[in-house]
Amino acid sequence: MQPKADKRFGEPARDKGLARLIDVARAAGVSRSTASNVFNNPDLVRPNLRQRVEAAARDLGYLGPDPKGRLLRAGKFNAIAVMPPSDWGIVDSLRNPVFNLFLRGVGEACDSIGANLVIISDGTGVDGIRNALVDGFIFGRVEHLREIEPARLRRLPFAVVDFDPGPGVGSVRADAHAGGYAAAKHLLDLGHRRFGVLSFLRQRSTARFHPAGLPRGPEAVGMPTDQEKYRGYADALAEAGIDIADVPMVQADPWDKSAASMLLDAAPRATAFLSMAVMQAMELVAEARRRGRSVPGDLSVVGYNDIPEAARFDPPITTVDGMVVEKGRVAARLVFAGGPPRHEILQPQLIIRGSTGPAPA
Amino acid sequence: MQPKADKRFGEPARDKGLARLIDVARAAGVSRSTASNVFNNPDLVRPNLRQRVEAAARDLGYLGPDPKGRLLRAGKFNAIAVMPPSDWGIVDSLRNPVFNLFLRGVGEACDSIGANLVIISDGTGVDGIRNALVDGFIFGRVEHLREIEPARLRRLPFAVVDFDPGPGVGSVRADAHAGGYAAAKHLLDLGHRRFGVLSFLRQRSTARFHPAGLPRGPEAVGMPTDQEKYRGYADALAEAGIDIADVPMVQADPWDKSAASMLLDAAPRATAFLSMAVMQAMELVAEARRRGRSVPGDLSVVGYNDIPEAARFDPPITTVDGMVVEKGRVAARLVFAGGPPRHEILQPQLIIRGSTGPAPA
DNA sequence: GTTTCATTTCGGATCGATCCAAGTATATTT
DNA sequence: AAATATACTTGGATCGATCCGAAATGAAAC
């Protein structure tokens, strides 16, 4: 993904025939400081001098102070970096609809203060962090402390999402347990008692079917947040006397289209499905309909995270708003705010739409 | 959109208690150059010295050369800027599904050479261009030459999309005429003879219905590319003896949901619809179905541009692949390549899916 | 016509690093 | 052991601007 950016050095402005501030100053017969002021504090310079400098600048084709030099003094980049998850590139970040939501949140905060948004190519690579020309970092998804170590060493403000790296670092997360709980509770309230679960796989591989619940160990249900969702499901089901270990589950990569099909085969009598991803939920609904089962008549599906497409889907998908946009906003604010690191926890909201209905009699 | 980013200057590293290269060098009892080499050309430094410098760096908590200083010498940012269309912010760029496609193309090129992608907040503002810490610019959508003038003055490589600013500037565009032509031709080949057109409005306002074709003047059919699509439609229809001036058209903002409804009312007998936006096409299909008309049985719809959602839609939308991702790729390559400005023209492809079928008998 | 005070202008120092020509230590050859 | 080749190190210059205290200018006051 990164054949080490070409290191040929840019030529100095002089050699390119470009005017520098000092050239303008000389041409106008004033000092560098005065010329600088013409561009940055015009009020301090008397009109006649100012005009002379401006004329000189025009003649030399000088547009204004070079950001490089200015930057060196100012020490501020007016930009914030988003680090894509470990093994992603820029494209993956842009393509993933949920991450896109997150970027939007960050972008909103950037827009509001006029800062630029930088997506780092070399994700969590040390070089990417060391050389990024930004005032702070946002880590889109982190699994290990060591991924954020270089940022801490650079002593730039940064924030981490969906991962609590301890007291020294700002972080935002959504209460995925509450989100999962709400999703399952909704289906229970509608009278459903036979469930199926669609979950992420941590590593890329083909879909797997688990006839009886959660295999043990950390690798089990995807990312830590997915494990929280799972426990949220489990707790809600438990209240209705259902042991989630008895609920069939398919684990699959989001791109794996066979997952929906596999789950419907595996849980032929289930009427309620909990999906940890809204894309998988849509795929499940589509597959169910292809098989002639009506949604939400015969079966109900709840997704997780709310992308715009879910609302346009036929039927519109009932899903949990995982507060992803808000997460981006908050993360950016944590970085811009400076100050002592804070930890924010957001509350997901269930959004009831058309993919869920009463359990069939 | 931009309350002028806070200009407080970052403090010098010294004052923050941060070590600089020179501090490390002093602590290790070597020259700055040698210390620099330890980080950049370790092979040049004998092991014992190197270890001394590394130890000193560790003791002082120095991670490596500060990108600011390095940058000043190197003159290269290893980043490329995307300028959102004039009145957009970062959020708008990320939200718009077609622009997102474009960003992906740019991102792909960035990933391949390990460069960062910067989305500029102050779109075409002069300051945004003047101060951006990037090696080149890509203008996502430009309507006036003056918008790119600051970039030209900065003498950084840049490329423009869907707009031909003349020989001096690199540009990429898709042949929208060909795309429009292909869309209309496809419907004609299927036997359709009664059409309706759904087009963009240039300015935000409520949907407008044009019972008889294109009003004159440049403001007529949205952006210049849309005018090309329109002429593409017109030329294809003309070959079948249909004057596009007789085809009902609704112009609307993409977000305006009333447009689909308005067009169906206005063209009750039409069986074929040409939409300049794929989102509008989906909305039109949805509305038609809501009215009990089958797609593609009773009527056919062709969109323009291919977003992933279109393929997942029920029915999958027949649309023109406007080569948006490729546009992004090419634009980025034009910028990275340097050399004399080139002008690339891409050929759109019709993608036949489920929203079009034979005209009803 | 000085003196006083506010307004402009100036030049040296600085931001943090890298390049480069020149100098010094080490290794090799004879 | 001296001469030469090679491998490391070094300090000065530089990248392009801004800051800041001091100097110069101009206006107002006496």
Side-chain angles (χ1 to χ4, degrees), chain A residues 39-219:
Chain A
F39 293 101
N40 297 301
N41 308 80
D43 307 343
L44 291 183
V45 182
R46 235 170 296 178
N48 58 336
L49 258 198
R50 183 166 63 216
Q51 280 156 22
R52 221 161 77 209
V53 172
E54 283 165 350
R58 245 195 321 281
D59 290 352
L60 296 174
Y62 182 80
L63 179 70
D66 183 314
K68 283 199 293 297
R70 163 176 287 173
L71 168 70
L72 182 57
R73 275 237 48 113
K76 212 169 142 284
F77 299 92
N78 194 36
I80 191 171
V82 170
M83 319 297 290
S86 321
D87 49 352
W88 289 15
I90 297 175
V91 180
D92 304 294
S93 324
L94 258 16
R95 174 161 35 215
N96 182 296
V98 176
F99 201 81
N100 183 279
L101 245 38
F102 175 72
L103 284 176
R104 274 190 224 175
V106 178
E108 216 169 273
C110 288
D111 278 337
S112 75
I113 63 164
N116 297 334
L117 173 62
V118 183
I119 307 179
I120 303 292
S121 173
D122 177 21
T124 36
V126 176
D127 279 357
I129 296 180
R130 275 210 336 213
N131 294 326
L133 303 165
V134 297
D135 302 315
F137 297 96
I138 294 178
F139 288 86
R141 196 175 72 200
V142 166
E143 293 187 59
H144 300 293
L145 264 174
R146 66 177 151 66
E147 294 177 13
I148 58 173
E149 199 48 28
R152 162 180 271 139
L153 282 172
R154 213 177 134 183
R155 307 211 199 165
L156 244 30
F158 67 102
V160 172
V161 173
D162 282 337
F163 178 77
D164 188 346
V169 176
S171 68
V172 208
R173 36 198 300 277
D175 183 349
H177 181 281
Y181 181 89
K185 186 75 169 33
H186 169 60
L187 290 171
L188 287 165
D189 288 348
L190 286 169
H192 294 276
R193 287 300 177 274
R194 293 191 302 278
F195 286 79
V197 169
L198 205 45
S199 89
F200 279 119
L201 259 185
R202 194 186 194 76
Q203 264 95 26
R204 297 215 157 171
S205 73
T206 48
R208 283 191 299 196
F209 168 54
H210 295 278
L214 180 66
R216 306 299 162 213
E219 302 294 302

Side-chain angles (χ1 to χ4, degrees), chain B residues 18-358:
Chain B
L18 284 185
R20 298 159 300 165
L21 184 62
I22 194 173
D23 301 319
V24 174
R26 271 204 274 262
V30 301
S31 72
R32 307 182 321 277
S33 314
T34 300
S36 172
N37 278 334
V38 169
F39 293 100
N40 298 299
N41 308 80
D43 308 343
L44 291 184
V45 182
R46 233 171 296 177
N48 57 338
L49 258 199
R50 183 166 63 217
Q51 280 155 23
R52 222 162 74 210
V53 172
E54 283 165 349
R58 244 194 323 280
D59 290 352
L60 297 173
Y62 182 81
L63 179 70
D66 183 315
K68 285 198 292 296
R70 164 177 286 170
L71 167 72
L72 181 59
R73 274 232 55 106
K76 212 168 142 284
F77 299 91
N78 194 36
I80 192 171
V82 170
M83 318 296 290
S86 321
D87 49 353
W88 289 15
I90 297 174
V91 179
D92 304 294
S93 322
L94 292 168
R95 175 160 35 213
N96 183 296
V98 176
F99 201 82
N100 183 279
L101 245 39
F102 175 71
L103 284 177
R104 272 190 226 176
V106 177
E108 214 170 275
C110 288
D111 278 337
S112 76
I113 64 165
N116 298 335
L117 173 61
V118 182
I119 308 179
I120 303 292
S121 173
D122 178 21
T124 35
V126 176
D127 279 358
I129 297 180
R130 276 207 338 210
N131 294 326
L133 302 165
V134 297
D135 303 316
F137 296 96
I138 295 179
F139 287 86
R141 197 176 70 201
V142 165
E143 293 187 58
H144 300 291
L145 264 175
R146 66 175 152 69
E147 295 177 12
I148 56 174
E149 199 50 28
R152 164 180 270 139
L153 281 172
R154 212 175 137 184
R155 309 214 197 162
L156 244 31
F158 68 103
V160 173
V161 173
D162 283 337
F163 177 77
D164 189 344
V169 175
S171 68
V172 207
R173 36 200 302 278
D175 184 347
H177 182 279
Y181 181 90
K185 187 75 170 34
H186 169 58
L187 290 170
L188 287 164
D189 289 348
L190 286 168
H192 294 277
R193 287 301 177 271
R194 292 190 302 279
F195 287 80
V197 169
L198 206 44
S199 88
F200 277 121
L201 258 185
R202 194 187 194 74
Q203 264 94 26
R204 298 214 156 170
S205 73
T206 48
R208 282 192 300 198
F209 168 53
H210 294 277
L214 179 66
R216 308 297 163 213
E219 302 294 302
V221 192
M223 315 294 299
T225 29
D226 290 334
Q227 298 177 13
E228 284 184 39
K229 293 175 200 166
Y230 188 83
R231 283 197 295 271
Y233 295 161
D235 289 351
L237 294 180
E239 289 176 10
I242 301 172
D243 183 351
I244 198 165
D246 297 334
V247 172
M249 171 166 80
V250 164
Q251 292 185 300
D253 219 279
W255 46 258
D256 188 338
K257 296 214 162 190
S258 70
S261 187
M262 187 183 289
L263 183 58
L264 287 173
D265 288 340
R269 303 195 58 234
T271 63
F273 292 89
L274 292 157
S275 166
M276 297 198 183
V278 67
M279 293 288 290
Q280 287 181 334
M282 294 192 301
E283 183 59 31
L284 183 60
V285 170
E287 177 62 21
R289 289 201 160 176
R290 259 177 250 132
R291 295 182 173 205
R293 304 185 62 181
S294 102
V295 180
D298 298 334
L299 53 84
S300 291
V301 178
V302 182
Y304 204 105
N305 284 328
D306 185 32
I307 63 177
E309 185 178 347
R312 285 192 291 264
F313 204 77
D314 177 24
I317 304 291
T318 296
T319 192
V320 177
D321 177 359
M323 307 301 271
V324 179
V325 179
E326 182 66 13
K327 262 193 271 188
R329 271 190 219 114
V330 172
R333 277 204 290 263
L334 287 180
V335 170
F336 287 130
R342 294 217 318 273
H343 304 259
E344 300 229 10
I345 299 187
L346 306 172
Q347 284 308 317
Q349 298 286 333
L350 180 70
I351 302 177
I352 299 174
R353 291 200 273 243
S355 67
T356 49

